[in-house]
């Protein structure tokens, strides 16, 4: 604090309704301290406040979440007081204080259906591009970003000039007419029938060579999208080349291997952005941490023609596969390796390393009803953010900012969790027969009943979802309060310092974050972590 005193803030599973509560710092003598450490594994933490961990890298940019169509629809399902409360919870100085965001170019899986801003086959110059981005206006995505920008400006006026609200845009899929046929298309088809799925090793119809009409048009698509949003008052901080380029996903997708993404950047996207939007940063990769070093070694090499256009690396928190586990064994060491490689390869010092997507699946903690799982998810979020920052990351973007009670809508049924949920049927002013699912949600109940709907406001309040927000139709989940321990205090411009969490004094067998006697990595209820990511 300003007086030089240390303030300890706690969010505890033991007292879930006392979020961000101040805890007294109790002085104990050395003998009692040693006895407590031997019994309970109290941490020894050594911090060097005078030594910046990454002095030659950019400072921390902040934290945030994604402005998907699903998020906008759920925000707009609430009353005006409910909407105001959500914006304050996410972006205000009494909430998480988010300053980063991400959105999708065209549709993503967290859209009601696939859509594109230009569906005219062969329109290489994009004469029919919807410069109003009408779909995104009608869904509320643009307005949600503008509300976030306003909240950040009002809540953090001292940060606005240098940082403010920074949003990146990522494509899931080009229009289907730009895509090569996939295995689901009829034999002899000229192009893909749908935006879902992708041909390999690259989705575009005529590749990404210098003479590719489709690649050139797709790069121009980025240009027009950025301009259209700017005309509505949303200036993008950056774009990524492609969401999860190594995955020909069953939802909206476009695959590239490392070679083809490099050629698309060098031949088309890089020159197009340099000409039209030189202030918009270009981030490559935007996928799981497994292969990030391999991609960096190839595309960031000084002799690669794409390298001069690349401003940063975007990574997701998953490791290969669909299990959404913490990726400690593969992912976290790769973060350290990448930062080291940036130095070895003499990459520009302003190169940004940004966590661009993270979520827990399937469905939501509220729907599942098991409080231990909801809190495990919260802890996993925070452990990952801390591990990323310790490795040199410049920020962390959660996936959807807000979803409905089951974790949608998602037009492929890929339901996931978010820190805040919209449950307008629980609001005090909701009509008696207000539906538990709105028209935009088509998934039904694939994981069974929504257990949170069977709990009273008093029960939910005691479990850590405040009744005052439930009365507005909002469920604030444990992961919200956990991540707030970081986002509220590690503000844009902050820098990591060196620290070490050691074993307990006098008993090397005791570890701080696992029960006494347990040797399994990721102990306690956080048993979903991969081997290799444990703070000891």
């Amino acid at each position: 604090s300003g007086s030089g005193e240390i303030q300890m803030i706690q969010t505890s599973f033991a007292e879930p309704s006392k979020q961000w509560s101040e805890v007294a710092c109790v002085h104990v003598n050395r003998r009692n301290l040693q006895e407590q450490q031997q019994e309970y594994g109290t941490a020894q933490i050594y911090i060097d406040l005078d030594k910046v961990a990454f002095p030659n890298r950019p400072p921390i940019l902040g934290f945030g979440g994604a402005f998907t169509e699903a998020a906008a629809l759920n925000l707009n399902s609430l009353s005006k007081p409910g909407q105001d409360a959500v914006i304050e919870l996410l972006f205000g100085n009494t909430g998480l204080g988010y300053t980063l965001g991400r959105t999708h170019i065209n549709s993503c899986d967290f859209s009601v259906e696939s859509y594109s801003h230009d569906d005219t086959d062969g329109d290489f110059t994009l004469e029919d591009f919807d410069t109003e981005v009408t779909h995104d206006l009608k869904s509320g995505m643009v307005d949600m970003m503008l509300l976030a920008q306003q909240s950040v400006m009002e809540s953090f006026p001292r940060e606005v000039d240098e940082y403010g609200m920074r949003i990146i845009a990522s494509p899931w899929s080009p229009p289907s007419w730009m895509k090569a046929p996939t295995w689901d298309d009829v034999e002899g088809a000229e192009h893909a029938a749908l935006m879902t799925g992708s041909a390999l090793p690259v989705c575009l119809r005529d590749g990404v060579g210098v003479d590719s009409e489709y690649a050139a048009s797709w790069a121009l698509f980025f240009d027009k999208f950025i301009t259209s949003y700017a005309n509505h008052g949303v200036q993008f901080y950056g774009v990524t080349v492609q969401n999860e380029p190594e995955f020909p996903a069953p939802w909206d997708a476009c695959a590239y291997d490392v070679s083809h993404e490099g050629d698309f950047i060098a031949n088309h996207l890089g020159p197009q952005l340099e000409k039209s939007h030189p202030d918009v940063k270009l981030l490559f990769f935007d996928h799981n941490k497994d292969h990030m070093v391999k991609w960096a070694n190839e595309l960031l090499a000084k002799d690669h023609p794409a390298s001069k256009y690349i401003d940063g690396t975007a990574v997701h928190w998953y490791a290969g596969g669909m299990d959404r586990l913490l990726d400690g064994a593969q992912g976290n060491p790769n973060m350290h390796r990448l930062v080291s490689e940036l130095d070895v390869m003499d990459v520009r010092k302003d190169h940004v390393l940004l966590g661009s997507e993270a979520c827990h699946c399937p469905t939501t903690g509220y729907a599942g009803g098991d409080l231990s799982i909801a809190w495990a998810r919260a802890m996993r979020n925070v452990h990952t953010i801390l591990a990323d920052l310790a490795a040199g990351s410049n920020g962390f973007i959660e996936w959807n900012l807000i979803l409905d009670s089951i974790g949608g809508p998602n037009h492929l049924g890929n339901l996931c969790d978010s820190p805040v949920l919209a449950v307008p049927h629980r609001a005090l002013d909701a009509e008696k027969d207000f539906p538990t699912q709105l028209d935009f949600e088509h998934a039904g109940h694939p994981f069974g009943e929504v257990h949170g709907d069977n709990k009273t406001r008093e029960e939910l309040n005691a479990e850590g979802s405040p009744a005052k927000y439930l009365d507005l139709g909002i469920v604030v989940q444990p992961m919200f309060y956990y991540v707030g321990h970081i986002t509220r205090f590690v503000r844009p411009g902050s820098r990591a310092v060196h620290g070490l969490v050691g074993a307990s004094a006098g008993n090397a067998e005791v570890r701080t974050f696992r029960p006494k006697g347990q040797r399994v990595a990721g102990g306690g209820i956080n048993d979903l972590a991969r081997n290799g990511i444990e703070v000891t």
Side-chain angles (χ1 to χ4, degrees), residues 157-372:
R158 295 182 180 179
E159 298 176 0
V160 169
D161 289 343
E162 189 171 358
Y163 297 99
M165 187 73 208
R166 295 183 172 186
I167 303 173
I168 61 173
S170 303
W172 267 242
S173 173
S176 60
W177 61 268
M178 291 187 182
K179 298 176 66 173
T182 72
W183 52 88
D184 287 329
D185 290 303
V186 298
E187 185 175 354
E190 292 185 356
H191 61 77
L194 302 173
M195 293 172 64
T196 52
S198 175
L200 294 170
V202 62
C203 82
L204 294 169
R205 278 174 71 171
D206 59 349
V208 290
V210 175
D211 297 325
S212 168
E213 289 184 294
Y214 292 96
S217 185
W218 183 224
L220 180 62
F221 203 105
F222 281 73
D223 180 347
K224 286 183 170 287
F225 183 85
I226 294 168
T227 299
S228 298
Y229 262 79
N231 290 338
H232 288 302
V234 177
Q235 304 281 348
F236 287 121
Y237 169 75
V239 297
T240 70
V241 181
Q242 172 61 40
N243 175 72
E244 299 188 345
E246 294 185 308
F247 185 28
W251 44 79
D252 313 66
C254 179
Y256 300 88
D257 59 18
V258 60
S259 175
H260 285 93
E261 178 158 316
D263 288 345
F264 178 56
I265 295 170
N267 296 332
H268 301 284
L269 185 58
Q272 184 70 53
L273 294 180
E274 184 179 62
K275 179 180 70 174
S276 303
H277 302 285
D279 294 331
V280 174
K281 293 187 179 297
L282 177 59
L283 282 65
F284 84 116
F285 193 51
D286 203 14
H287 206 162
N288 304 342
K289 297 172 183 174
D290 311 42
H291 301 149
M292 60 193 295
V293 178
K294 172 188 174 183
W295 280 57
N297 283 336
E298 183 164 338
L299 299 193
L300 297 181
K302 288 188 179 297
D303 60 352
H304 196 290
S307 64
K308 66 179 181 180
Y309 298 113
I310 296 174
D311 300 299
T313 305
V315 297
H316 294 189
W317 86 330
Y318 325 108
M322 292 294 294
D323 52 18
R324 296 299 197 266
L325 299 189
L326 266 177
D327 53 354
Q330 300 178 59
N332 192 249
N334 282 348
M335 293 285 285
H336 288 275
R337 288 177 59 204
L338 178 59
V339 172
S340 296
E341 287 295 311
L342 295 178
D343 283 337
V344 171
M345 298 171 68
D346 195 26
V347 174
R348 293 199 327 252
K349 300 303 181 186
D350 61 352
H351 187 93
V352 172
L353 176 54
L354 188 62
S356 55
E357 185 183 313
C359 70
H360 302 82
C361 305
T363 195
T364 68
Y366 176 82
D370 188 335
L371 191 60
S372 65

Side-chain angles (χ1 to χ4, degrees), residues 358-436:
C359 70
H360 302 82
C361 305
T363 195
T364 68
Y366 176 82
D370 188 335
L371 191 60
S372 65
I373 292 178
W375 280 76
R377 289 180 170 186
M379 288 187 286
R380 290 166 63 197
N381 253 29
V382 171
H383 290 173
T384 302
I385 295 172
L386 291 174
D388 279 6
L389 295 179
S393 173
N394 301 109
F396 189 90
I397 301 176
E398 176 79 24
W399 197 193
N400 297 274
L401 286 163
I402 179 172
L403 293 171
D404 65 17
S405 63
I406 63 172
N410 182 295
H411 73 101
L412 273 298
N414 183 32
L415 304 174
C416 295
D417 216 341
S418 63
V420 177
L421 305 175
V423 288
H425 58 285
R426 299 293 302 259
L428 285 180
D429 60 356
E431 296 179 3
K432 182 178 180 180
D433 297 324
F434 198 95
T436 59

